[in-house]
Amino acid sequence: MFSKLLIANRGEIASRIIRTCKRLNIQTVAIYSEPDEDSPYVKEADEAFPLGGSRVHESYLQVDKVIEIAKKARVDAIHPGYGLLSENGDFAERIQSEGITFIGPTSDVIRSMGSKVEARRMMKDALVPVIPGTSSSTKDADAAVKAASEIGYPIMLKASAGGGGIGMQVVTNDEELRKAYESNAKRAQMFFGDGTMFLEKKIVNPHHVEIQVLADQKGHAIYLFERECSVQRRHQKVVEEAPSPYISEETRVKMGEAALKAVQALGYQNAGTVEFLVDDNQQFYFLEMNTRLQVEHPVTEEITGFDLVEEQIRIASGEALRYKQNELTIHGHAIEVRVYAEDPKTFYPAPGQMNNLQLPVGDHIRHELAVHSKSFVSPFYDPMIAKCITWGETREEAIERMSYALSQYEVEGIKTNLPMLRTVLNHEVFKRGNYTTSFVEDYYLKEEAK
């Protein structure tokens, strides 16, 4: 087991990792930018070092600075959290070359899954169902139009290195595809340094369901069931739950086994998530694999009893998985909402000075916080300020607890998406559990516009 660990991240995920490390008696080292100097996680860590700068490229993405601090603090491992450097294969490789353990998969696997085109190819070879589409990148708009004639509209135009909805657009004809191709390729180049584009058949009314996996260094792997992540705005998740209220037990097993095929084909190690789209007939298709801890990991922890950060650390230190697949069961139901500093109708970020924060309390209500009651929410980072998670013996009980929690939540001084979250949790379509990725557009926005 490690004795000291640096967290190459910020906000709520840094606090989350510190909490587990304290329980495991592992010393923690935080790093922080100028706007984050007063953040809770900086005070919670055993040691903290400044990075300088405000924007991520001036601070958290400065690989040399992060490694310099890690060596100065004499840590034996680095946990990347999610986002920032967590899926940067070069960072993982550099850490290992410095004699420090990277808590995550190997650098070559990170690079393979970071390219959506390469990931599609590898999953197809592993006999994991993939969405019909191009098997390689499209070199220009003409090639894309030609490929689209074989796939059939509607089509999702996607950036191979994309994420968070950037570089992604639905197109329904040749003209739209030509216009969308150049603009999205430019955006992908600007955000990810890679303008490679590819095409996928648009799955109508899909459910976004993902499988949590764990794999050790000895070739053993398990899946910790699924999370339903279909409530999204701007192609980003905002409400998640586990288990999925939509898929059948038969589909659950098939998806779990498909995820393990992916793990075995990759020689994967540590925690990861295999994401799928599920159609009206419960047919599922590989979407992408995230080679890190997910924002929504707490709902899996709530229904399985696992501490996923602890499992990541144990695997990285060389321990074998402590459980077999047939020993795992789903216990109850869990829901997570992401509280953002943003306009609840336009979903634009709304950073600023927070004057007050009152959190709901009660049985089986869990919080993961990035802020305190007088925090300034910086415009330089993702505007998520907190996550709230509830658990219940049944889905109905988990929803009731979340509805109560949201009614008690108070944030003053800045706009938040709390009004939207309250509407979603109390919406009849959500309560029925058969909602898709178009839920926000089909119901929330249309009803708000009336």
Side-chain angles (χ1 to χ4, degrees):
M1 184 56 77
F2 305 114
S3 59
K4 187 188 271 189
L5 182 152
L6 181 143
I7 301 153
N9 216 298
R10 60 179 298 278
E12 67 88 17
I13 192 58
S15 292
R16 166 71 189 86
I17 296 165
I18 290 168
R19 193 166 69 239
T20 291
C21 286
K22 285 183 184 298
R23 187 168 56 74
L24 297 177
N25 200 28
I26 298 172
Q27 296 285 298
T28 53
V29 177
I31 53 177
Y32 60 93
S33 65
E34 289 174 0
D36 278 340
E37 185 174 4
D38 189 39
S39 294
Y41 78 93
V42 177
K43 295 178 175 60
E44 292 162 359
D46 295 295
E47 298 174 44
F49 292 83
L51 287 164
S54 297
R55 301 177 187 277
V56 291
H57 70 270
E58 299 170 336
S59 52
Y60 299 103
L61 296 183
Q62 288 285 330
V63 170
D64 288 340
K65 280 188 181 178
V66 173
I67 291 178
E68 181 185 332
I69 292 170
K71 293 169 73 175
K72 182 178 179 181
R74 297 180 180 277
V75 304
D76 42 19
I78 292 180
H79 195 305
Y82 54 73
L84 298 177
L85 294 169
S86 64
E87 292 179 293
N88 184 319
D90 293 343
F91 179 61
E93 185 175 12
R94 174 79 184 281
I95 288 172
Q96 298 285 11
S97 72
E98 298 286 352
I100 301 169
T101 299
F102 177 76
I103 298 181
T106 57
S107 56
D108 58 335
V109 169
I110 294 173
R111 291 190 186 100
S112 296
M113 293 299 100
S115 163
K116 291 183 171 57
V117 171
E118 176 66 3
R120 278 175 55 85
R121 185 192 66 75
M122 295 183 76
M123 291 303 103
K124 201 171 180 179
D125 289 347
L127 302 180
V128 175
V130 300
I131 301 172
T134 50
S135 56
S136 60
S137 58
T138 52
K139 62 178 183 180
D140 54 34
D142 288 338
V145 168
K146 184 180 179 184
S149 67
E150 298 171 2
I151 299 168
Y153 290 104
I155 276 173
M156 290 292 292
L157 173 66
K158 289 186 174 182
S160 180
I166 297 170
M168 183 191 302
Q169 187 171 337
V170 179
V171 290
T172 59
N173 56 55
D174 290 355
E175 185 179 356
E176 283 183 9
L177 178 53
R178 288 185 186 282
K179 287 182 180 175
Y181 190 94
E182 298 302 334
S183 60
N184 282 281
K186 285 180 182 175
R187 292 192 75 206
Q189 183 66 41
M190 182 171 64
F191 279 92
F192 310 114
D194 181 354
T196 302
M197 306 299 291
F198 70 105
L199 307 179
E200 281 182 347
K201 179 75 176 173
K202 163 77 173 157
I203 304 297
V204 178
N205 296 322
H207 297 254
H208 185 131
V209 182
E210 61 190 27
I211 304 289
Q212 175 70 58
V213 295
L214 289 175
D216 64 21
Q217 299 179 28
K218 305 176 190 303
H220 305 134
I222 56 175
Y223 66 91
L224 300 180
F225 312 108
E226 80 282 359
R227 296 184 285 260
E228 171 82 49
C229 307
S230 296
V231 179
Q232 304 177 0
R233 89 281 185 260
R234 293 191 287 113
H235 300 294
Q236 289 184 317
K237 304 160 190 171
V238 68
V239 178
E240 302 98 349
E241 59 180 313
S244 166
Y246 173 65
I247 67 169
S248 67
E249 180 60 28
E250 181 183 5
T251 304
R252 172 173 296 123
V253 172
K254 286 181 178 177
M255 291 179 71
E257 291 175 346
L260 292 184
K261 279 185 185 176
V263 168
Q264 288 156 1
L266 294 168
Y268 196 86
Q269 299 172 10
N270 215 276
T273 300
V274 186
E275 299 194 341
F276 295 97
L277 292 182
V278 186
D279 69 14
D280 290 340
N281 298 313
Q282 301 253 329
Q283 295 297 309
F284 57 89
Y285 305 92
F286 172 79
L287 184 63
E288 64 178 338
M289 183 171 190
N290 287 308
T291 55
R292 54 172 168 76
L293 195 66
Q294 295 279 96
V295 178
E296 58 271 26
H297 76 275
V299 291
T300 296
E301 294 184 327
E302 292 294 321
I303 66 162
T304 61
F306 276 64
D307 178 330
L308 289 176
V309 174
E310 178 180 349
E311 297 304 321
Q312 285 189 294
I313 293 171
R314 288 187 180 281
I315 290 170
S317 68
E319 292 188 23
L321 287 175
R322 295 174 292 167
Y323 303 91
K324 296 179 180 175
Q325 191 66 51
N326 60 11
E327 297 174 324
L328 306 179
T329 56
I330 296 174
H331 178 51
H333 198 97
I335 296 176
E336 173 184 289
V337 299
R338 304 185 190 189
V339 181
Y340 283 96
E342 69 179 21
D343 186 289
K345 294 183 179 178
T346 65
F347 308 134
Y348 287 135
Q353 179 63 53
M354 196 161 58
N355 299 323
N356 183 37
L357 171 65
Q358 294 293 324
L359 300 176
V361 293
D363 292 339
H364 302 297
I365 298 176
R366 168 179 167 180
H367 302 286
E368 303 290 346
L369 285 177
V371 295
H372 54 70
S373 61
K374 300 294 182 184
S375 284
F376 179 81
V377 180
S378 170
F380 299 115
Y381 313 120
D382 184 280
M384 188 176 77
I385 59 173
K387 300 184 305 199
C388 181
I389 303 101
T390 59
W391 178 89
E393 291 281 355
T394 63
R395 182 171 187 263
E396 290 71 24
E397 190 173 61
I399 290 175
E400 282 179 16
R401 284 201 171 112
M402 183 59 78
S403 295
Y404 167 77
L406 291 173
S407 72
Q408 300 298 304
Y409 226 108
E410 292 183 25
V411 180
E412 297 176 5
I414 56 172
K415 286 184 179 180
T416 72
N417 65 336
L418 283 167
M420 176 216 182
L421 296 173
R422 291 173 184 133
T423 300
V424 170
L425 264 291
N426 289 297
H427 200 286
E428 284 305 312
V429 172
F430 179 80
K431 287 182 176 179
R432 285 200 297 271
N434 189 12
Y435 55 89
T436 70
T437 56
S438 61
F439 171 79
V440 170
E441 288 76 14
D442 289 348
Y443 297 101
Y444 175 73
L445 289 178
K446 284 184 179 176
E447 292 172 16
E448 286 294 305
K450 290 179 182 176

